Amino acid sequence: MATVKFDGASRIYPGNDTPSVDKLDIDIADGEFLVLVGPSGCGKSTSLRMLAGLEEVNGGKIWIGDRDVTDLSPKDRDVAMVFQNYALYPHMTVADNMGFALKIAGVDKGEIRKRVEEAANILDLTQYLERKPKALSGGQRQRVAMGRAIVRSPQVFLMDEPLSNLDAKLRVQTRTQIASLQRRLGVTTVYVTHDQVEAMTMGDRIALLKDGILQQCATPREMYDNPANLFVAGFIGSPAMNLVTVPVTADGAKFGNHTVSLPRERAGDGGSSLIVGVRPEDVEVTTNNDGLELTVDVVEELGADAYVYGTPTDPNIKLEGGDDNLVKPFIARVDGRQVPEKGGKIYVYPKSQHMHVFDPSSGARLG
Amino acid sequence: MALELTAARPDPALLDLPWRLPLEEWPDDILAALPRGISRHVVRFVRLSGRVLAIKEIKDDIARREYEMLRNLGRLHMPAVEPFAVVSGRVGMDGRPLDACLVTRHLQFSLPYRALYSQSLRKGTATRLIDALAVLLVRLHLAGFWWGDVSLSNTLFRRDAGAFAAYLVDAETGELRNRLSDGQREHDLEIARVNIAGELMDLEAGGLLQEERDPVEVSERIMTRYRDLWTELTSEQLIDDSERWRVDDRIRRLNEKGFDVDELEITTDIDGTTIRIQPKVVDSGHHSRRLLRLTGLDVRENQARRLLNDLEVFSAATGRQGEDEEIIAHDWLASVYEPVTRGVPRHLVAKLEPAEVFHEVLEHRWYLAERARHDIPIQEAVTDYVATVLPGKPDERAVLGVDTEELPVVADGGA
């Protein structure tokens, strides 16, 4: 087991002007589950591969424990890429399917058996060790594949979108299994995904990247409650946070005729507008002309709750994240027993203790 | 959702296949063979408009990505299966969406490694397969392709004058780069090594491996063969200015291994006493390109080498070494090659490809001559070969896998 440190690590592909990963700094604790997340092309896979030794590091350093591994070959780093290839061999027993790579590595028989049994115990596969994979269910086969990585007992597990070719149901099952397994094993793990739900549910901490630059590295709760900038605010959470540019007066931010007061540190540099973020569950909804006026487009009933999708009646009020072709709706969660009617008018403003404020030019969080 | 067909040259007959059924449930009468492959996915073979197609059920984005990747490999003239179509937007009978399908053409006369092991085997088959895979991997790496899942299962083999030529079948995990780093190449090699060992151990566990050799030891060969070839093809060499013939020597050695050098970097040091040479661009198929130019025959590298040797012998035996090569080649084709390959009766043509038959007839003639202790005319060798050897061989035109099984990883109720 070991800590991992990205120390100003950069990767520039030949022929590119801008780095694909730009001075990445992350400290990963021993036993931590860190998720690298971000949209396609953000540099998350490249970062993982730099750690694995599969991409050159053009600047900075990478440490595993107290070893500088920046220039070490992949096999000298004691890391294991999980699920790259998990073909199961039909004539071999489950035990052999799990342990055969150790035989190649020259580990002696007794030690192989010991490690396979330990892994089987953790994976609930002990009673199947002498069976052939054909006799197993799909989920059990998936666990055998995990067992193959576990028996290698590396210092760090690396996983690059391991669930991407599984069907939706198995993806959810396996997601839970990997997370609980990692906690039981306590092996430092770096996991790459493009899916923020996967990141939120699995990671001890999340590192969100965009254009090769780390946006924020924090616990899921911290990312959700205190996003460092507009990008993080829009990326984390589903449905996404409402981000709306509103006028600012000396009294505060104006949501229609409703004013939300702003402490000085959140008032920005005194400009005439700010971007305010409010999650759907933090929206006050009224029908008595108090707040930003919305026309209700869609009501999504979920039983206890409902999501209301509305468009600001004032065409000058636009939500961040939309474009010319797609007007982004304002989303509010309401009590499932008191839903507004489609086509009706509602008025919304943020609960002041759950309001996020961002600088309109830099996108940085204020206060 | 409408069924969507992506293909360079779409065949309308493709639309007649039962896309509303999960691939696993397709009726036997349209299938060309039974389930196969150690595969995470369901794969089926169908006959359509006179050809055999392989169909793999995978997620839409992965299917499209692999289709594009196989097209790119085709453009780079890499030996790989040819993509045919992606079928997406499938909906089941119950109205629920089904995964997309990637359709590729079946490679005629190709053999999955497991099918080879179900035949009675010549000694050393495993090592010959690994040698072919090493050449394939070096070629792919030279072209900047990072495979990510190198294995015997993801490769098809065609006979090549007693050896094998390897073709990439599965590009699901692959990426194309300008250039691969040493770490990336080593990663592929490590994956290849582990997979080959696993595949051979599996054959051993199934009682299919006749050879006594340890799979782990055999699997090591991929590392040594790959590294030797990579070094030969790419390494920098320092030679003394007085030994300029060594430049030609290097090129000749590469040619012998079947590679052509398109570009060679030559630099001299300041005082001009040593020369540094390094091949920049190399491409395989030296002999097969030469044979194609001389005769129009399109065959594999070792077959071409064998045929060219025979052409050489023909030229010497007929005392025409000074004549124009192309004219001799034309005569050789008409008087030697074609009579041999035409000697195979119609009902036996699915056994082996013509160039491989030619190679085998030459081998057979040698055995006959050794036994008789005198030369045997080629016609006599053909007649004997067709009567005694060829009928006992399996049909290999469309071998779609034997003794293989699918182990799809799918969700189940419990867990």
Side-chain angles (χ1 to χ4, degrees), chain A residues 193-210:
Chain A
T193 180
H194 67 280
D195 179 350
Q196 66 92 18
V197 177
E198 224 168 278
M200 291 293 279
T201 50
M202 297 179 81
D204 291 325
R205 275 191 310 153
I206 299 171
L208 175 55
L209 284 93
K210 184 192 167 223

Side-chain angles (χ1 to χ4, degrees), chain A residues 96 99-109 112, chain B residues 193 201 204 214-216:
Chain A
D96 287 342
F100 81 93
L102 294 179
K103 198 169 158 195
I104 301 166
V107 178
D108 76 69
K109 270 189 178 166
I112 295 177
Chain B
R193 206 260 158 114
M201 282 182 206
E204 193 182 43
D214 177 15
V216 173

Side-chain angles (χ1 to χ4, degrees), chain A residues 15-27:
Chain A
N16 281 11
D17 297 334
T18 50
S20 295
V21 174
D22 196 359
K23 299 192 193 71
L24 184 63
D25 283 310
I26 306 178
D27 275 302

